[in-house]
Amino acid sequence: MTSSSAPPVIVWFRDDLRLSDHPALHAAAETDAPLVLLYVLDEESTSLRPPRGRAIGSASRWWLAQSLRSLQASLAARGQTLVLRSGAAARVISDLAQDIEAASVHWIESDVPSQSAVERDVTAALKEIGVQARGFPGDLLVKPASLRNKEGRGLRVFTPFWKRVLSLGDPPQPLPVPKKLKPGPAVASDDLASWNLEPKHPDWAGGLRDTWTPGESAAQTRLHDFLETGIKGYATLRDRPDRDGTSRLSPHLRFGEISPRQVWHAANFAAAQKPDIASDVGKFLSELGWREFSRHLLFDLPDLAEKNLQSSFDAFPWRRDAKALRAWQRGRTGYPIVDAGMRELWHTGVMHNRVRMVVASFLVKHLLIDWRHGEKWFWDTLVDADPGSNPASWQWVAGSGADAAPYFRVFNPVLQGEKFDPDGAYVSRWVPELARLSAKLIHQPWEATPMELAAAGVTLGENYPEPMVDHKAARARALAAYAKTREP
């Protein structure tokens, strides 16, 4: 029981690990009540009943640990603490609310179906003990339920979807960090280390530590720097994996260290200040739109990561080939741009977006391996693995999803490498055994003469693999399989 005259308010943090533009925290602070700030590691509710969620992957667990530490530090600087508890959210939150005689529990609503189901459980548990539950929008620019077509369904083609979002005008202005966060009663908290979110034996996260600084402050700095110095030319440079041409905000958005409307307003302000970057800002915001679109798809299709959106693909003749899948996962396919992407992913927890499309196309179309295997690998290895964008993007490449790429689009990994990594800098970085080959040969080392290979220190089949499949033959096989699937 609290000794304070006013009953405390609990703020339940989730995928919104920030203090600025946090509507639930802002509203709680405005009550002037003592606050208990809570994060629940809930690995139980995901499997209780449909719509089932899934535990976050290994790389995301690493990010979560760093992000929680960052949030703890930000709160400590303001005289507050972050309470950590694990277990089913409904049980944990209702027990805590009862223990401290809380007046209410605030949180930012999620439109991810499995998380919405958990919210309903929490609301029901709080109702039983007479505690108010208050949810606030703040995870998306537009709530999916408010963006429907004439049949009452969400839009399934990106361009008209994004036009509709743009036609709604600016989202609300971001909220500042509350000026005062009144400390609540002392509450027992788990030790973050006891959650074992970070790898130990072996510790494979060295590349993640070298690449990233999770947390709200780093997210704000990254957005500011990108809009100041990196946005010009984004519309074209974003396709170049050999250039630093993207914002790299995706994991910060994934964990809510920065909000979509903060990105929206900052980008539009930058465009107003510098009209010459307006087209680049528009393209940048459309990428934010793809996150939005994917979450809206997930809202209507909770099993997006498991089930083909287009049922015609249920009969697709996928191949079972564990050896080929493993070679793809480890960047040993014999196609340099594919291998570079897969190795970048393993080391840094991300992959350049253009290369993501190429490696996904290779798995699904060159190897005819079910897109779900690729989606699961990305879910485990990406620090920005998003429950909407990850499966939606894999289904887009496979041709089984919404607004899908045409089934006959089979990316040629050699041409993709030559076009978007023309000097071979990206491949040289991630596939260093090929670094001494010329730009002309680095994307197709099998075309080099024995003398050229020897001079570059390359022995195909030994220190770098021969191509797993012939591109022309694999393309023909894929088109035949797709054509058969599409037969009435």
Side-chain angles (χ1 to χ4, degrees), residues 11 13 18-19 24-30 32-37 71 74-81 176-184:
V11 179
F13 283 88
R18 62 182 184 271
L19 301 183
L25 178 65
H26 191 85
E30 285 195 326
D32 202 35
L35 305 181
V36 174
L37 310 180
L71 183 58
S74 295
L75 289 171
R78 293 167 172 82
Q80 258 287 6
T81 58
V177 177
K179 292 181 179 179
K180 184 180 180 182
L181 299 173
K182 185 180 290 187

Side-chain angles (χ1 to χ4, degrees), residues 50-296:
R52 292 183 176 88
R54 51 179 171 172
I56 60 175
S58 302
S60 293
R61 287 172 67 86
W62 174 86
W63 188 287
L64 174 61
Q66 319 313 311
S67 193
L68 288 172
R69 284 199 190 95
S70 176
L71 183 58
Q72 285 176 321
S74 295
L75 289 171
R78 293 167 172 82
Q80 258 287 6
T81 58
L82 181 66
V83 177
L84 304 177
R85 295 281 178 93
S86 61
R91 183 183 70 248
V92 170
I93 294 171
S94 62
D95 285 352
L96 178 59
Q98 218 163 7
D99 288 345
I100 66 173
E101 298 182 0
S104 60
V105 179
H106 293 204
W107 65 81
I108 292 180
E109 297 165 339
S110 172
D111 289 299
V112 173
S114 59
Q115 294 186 19
S116 297
V118 173
E119 290 175 29
R120 290 192 291 272
D121 291 344
V122 171
T123 300
L126 292 175
K127 185 177 181 180
E128 283 188 14
I129 60 173
V131 175
Q132 184 184 26
R134 295 194 63 193
F136 298 82
D139 186 46
L140 294 172
L141 296 170
V142 180
K143 290 192 72 66
S146 66
L147 197 61
R148 309 275 94 186
N149 63 14
K150 293 179 181 178
E151 291 76 40
R153 194 185 72 176
L155 280 67
R156 295 192 179 179
V157 179
F158 175 72
T159 299
F161 166 84
W162 190 232
K163 285 181 178 178
R164 281 279 297 276
V165 173
L166 293 174
S167 73
L168 297 174
D170 290 337
Q173 284 286 338
L175 297 164
V177 177
K179 292 181 179 179
K180 184 180 180 182
L181 299 173
K182 185 180 290 187
V187 173
S189 174
D190 292 351
D191 177 16
L192 181 58
S194 72
W195 286 358
N196 296 315
L197 295 174
E198 299 162 282
K200 294 177 181 176
H201 307 292
D203 179 3
W204 45 258
L208 304 186
R209 286 191 291 272
D210 291 343
T211 305
W212 297 103
T213 303
E216 180 177 14
S217 177
Q220 293 288 351
T221 298
R222 187 172 288 279
L223 175 61
H224 174 271
D225 291 349
F226 175 68
L227 294 176
E228 278 289 309
T229 61
I231 187 72
K232 190 167 180 59
Y234 174 83
T236 53
L237 292 179
R238 61 178 295 275
D239 276 325
R240 292 283 298 270
D242 59 335
R243 304 285 186 87
D244 184 17
T246 60
S247 72
R248 296 172 73 83
L249 281 168
S250 55
H252 298 290
L253 278 162
R254 161 64 184 84
F255 286 91
E257 297 169 352
I258 197 166
S259 74
R261 62 188 187 185
Q262 285 176 311
V263 175
W264 172 287
H265 283 285
N268 279 311
F269 179 78
Q273 298 294 106
K274 302 175 184 177
D276 61 320
I277 63 169
S279 62
D280 293 309
V281 166
K283 183 61 181 176
F284 171 59
L285 288 178
S286 75
E287 295 303 307
L288 188 67
W290 178 259
R291 173 188 183 269
E292 192 92 1
F293 177 61
S294 300
R295 287 289 186 91
H296 283 233

